[in-house]
Amino acid sequence: MGTLACNFHSFFLNLSNSQTISSRKFPIHQVHYCITAATNLRLKMSHSLSSQNPVTEQQRIVIPNKHGEKLVGLLHETGSKEIVILCHGFRSTKADRTMVTLAVALEKEGIAAFRFDFAGNGESEGSFEFGNYLREADDLHSIIRHFSRANRVVNAIVGHSKGGDVVLVYASKYDDIHTVVNVSGRYDLKKGVEERFGKGSMDKIKDDGYIDIKNKEGSVEFRVTKESLMDRLSLDMHETCFKIPRECRVLTVHGSADETIPVEDAFEFAKIIPNHKLHVVEGANHNYTKHQTELASVVVNYLKAALQQE
């Protein structure tokens, strides 16, 4: 691995505010806290670190998936051989604030990052479909193969919300990535549908074959079909996580005040994933609106430590 640039100060704030998890009656041996800023500063990387940030640039890259659809992404190029792939959530894009924050945080540490749009989202080709977890895992596989063929090492995959589930599905299906970060993923995919689309929506979809989701102006944004609903409901994240190899390191980060996916889902992941660490960000909502700095510091710390173990 090449020389990494060091810029600790902006990313290791607020770590001491992490939640005391033992109060949740969770087996303490299953929970590992991310290291605090003070501890991290003592754990200097063994590699030579520059005192200045690396010169970086963003490159627009188009990569075809297995269906011939063009996936569009932005590479935060630092010149490192290693690269981290970032995966957005439901009805989101590579331009999501969390995706950009993580890419810039990695970039400032000299680690290249690639954030892209799944098929049917953002600039990428294809039709948007509800569910699609397995297909999005295949999109991610196309991205990883592209960089591997370009002699780059994809050392980690990071996903937020639905993207968190996708990276876990990927780890259970493929055996070429050994570091995974699940940010606010959902454990039970049978939940969250009626919370998002309204009470009785699941029965309506099953009876009518579909439901149209409209915006505040009354225009149809997308359609949820019975087929796509069943695709989601058939994915058992409990069984999926059991298939993740023990040598694959997994970090789950979740906000204690997540209003979209309850923090209890994070504890369920911690129970079943063998090589797992959990970090709860106290007071953070689903999008880490006021906790972007802490989220970035937690993820970057973990990925840098993982790089040292490669």
Side-chain angles (χ1 to χ4, degrees), residues 129-200:
E129 294 287 346
F130 183 72
N132 254 14
Y133 293 84
L134 294 174
R135 182 159 173 157
E136 291 189 355
D138 287 341
D139 280 357
L140 178 55
H141 186 56
S142 297
I143 298 294
I144 291 171
R145 288 184 65 190
H146 169 85
F147 285 107
S148 296
R149 289 169 177 170
N151 201 32
R152 303 293 288 270
V153 176
V154 180
N155 62 291
I157 51 178
V158 181
H160 173 238
S161 193
K162 182 186 177 185
D165 289 286
V166 171
V167 296
L168 292 173
V169 169
Y170 186 95
S172 74
K173 186 176 181 181
Y174 299 99
D175 192 26
D176 55 356
I177 299 295
H178 302 296
T179 303
V180 174
V181 179
N182 158 38
V183 180
S184 305
R186 186 181 292 279
Y187 171 75
D188 187 352
L189 295 179
K190 293 181 175 63
K191 296 180 179 179
V193 178
E194 295 204 337
E195 290 87 339
R196 186 183 294 271
F197 302 138
K199 188 175 181 180

Side-chain angles (χ1 to χ4, degrees), residues 96-127:
D96 175 74
R97 183 187 178 197
T98 297
M99 295 294 97
V100 175
T101 295
L102 293 175
V104 171
L106 288 163
E107 181 182 284
K108 288 186 176 181
E109 293 298 326
I111 304 171
F114 184 72
R115 49 190 173 96
F116 74 102
D117 297 323
F118 284 111
N121 294 269
E123 294 185 275
S124 292
E125 293 180 346
S127 300

Side-chain angles (χ1 to χ4, degrees), residues 23-294:
S23 63
R24 294 182 174 274
K25 299 182 181 179
F26 190 81
I28 197 66
H29 69 276
Q30 294 178 351
V31 180
H32 301 266
Y33 295 98
C34 286
I35 55 181
T36 64
T39 304
N40 180 73
L41 289 174
R42 292 195 296 269
L43 295 177
K44 295 292 187 179
M45 295 183 68
S46 59
H47 304 287
S48 174
L49 298 176
S50 168
S51 61
Q52 296 182 351
N53 289 336
V55 176
T56 59
E57 56 181 320
Q58 293 181 27
Q59 302 175 7
R60 187 176 187 271
I61 298 177
V62 178
I63 300 169
N65 65 12
K66 63 185 292 185
H67 305 286
E69 297 161 335
K70 295 178 180 177
L71 306 176
V72 180
L74 288 173
L75 173 63
H76 292 244
E77 183 62 274
T78 66
S80 67
K81 186 178 181 65
E82 297 80 15
I83 185 170
V84 175
I85 309 298
L86 305 176
C87 303
H88 65 76
F90 177 74
R91 295 292 291 172
S92 187
T93 72
K94 62 182 179 299
D96 175 74
R97 183 187 178 197
T98 297
M99 295 294 97
V100 175
T101 295
L102 293 175
V104 171
L106 288 163
E107 181 182 284
K108 288 186 176 181
E109 293 298 326
I111 304 171
F114 184 72
R115 49 190 173 96
F116 74 102
D117 297 323
F118 284 111
N121 294 269
E123 294 185 275
S124 292
E125 293 180 346
S127 300
F128 174 81
E129 294 287 346
F130 183 72
N132 254 14
Y133 293 84
L134 294 174
R135 182 159 173 157
E136 291 189 355
D138 287 341
D139 280 357
L140 178 55
H141 186 56
S142 297
I143 298 294
I144 291 171
R145 288 184 65 190
H146 169 85
F147 285 107
S148 296
R149 289 169 177 170
N151 201 32
R152 303 293 288 270
V153 176
V154 180
N155 62 291
I157 51 178
V158 181
H160 173 238
S161 193
K162 182 186 177 185
D165 289 286
V166 171
V167 296
L168 292 173
V169 169
Y170 186 95
S172 74
K173 186 176 181 181
Y174 299 99
D175 192 26
D176 55 356
I177 299 295
H178 302 296
T179 303
V180 174
V181 179
N182 158 38
V183 180
S184 305
R186 186 181 292 279
Y187 171 75
D188 187 352
L189 295 179
K190 293 181 175 63
K191 296 180 179 179
V193 178
E194 295 204 337
E195 290 87 339
R196 186 183 294 271
F197 302 138
K199 188 175 181 180
S201 56
M202 288 181 67
D203 288 337
K204 181 174 177 57
I205 295 169
K206 292 175 181 177
D207 293 342
D208 298 345
Y210 71 93
I211 186 173
D212 286 331
I213 308 303
K214 300 179 180 180
N215 58 24
K216 295 180 180 179
E217 289 71 37
S219 300
V220 175
E221 287 194 340
F222 61 95
R223 172 171 289 186
V224 179
T225 64
K226 181 178 180 179
E227 181 182 14
S228 64
L229 174 63
M230 298 313 295
D231 176 74
R232 169 173 168 144
L233 298 181
S234 66
L235 181 58
D236 187 333
M237 291 304 297
H238 185 86
E239 292 300 321
T240 294
C241 290
F242 268 128
K243 296 177 183 178
I244 297 175
R246 178 169 289 276
E247 58 269 22
C248 181
R249 298 176 290 265
V250 178
L251 168 68
T252 291
V253 185
H254 213 107
S256 68
D258 193 324
E259 73 290 357
T260 302
I261 300 174
V263 69
E264 285 72 20
D265 283 36
F267 289 90
E268 294 302 319
F269 283 125
K271 291 177 182 177
I272 58 175
I273 299 175
N275 189 358
H276 186 271
K277 290 186 178 181
L278 171 63
H279 185 99
V280 174
V281 180
E282 181 63 35
N285 62 14
H286 189 63
N287 292 316
Y288 298 84
T289 305
K290 297 180 179 180
H291 296 80
Q292 290 281 305
T293 298
E294 182 173 353

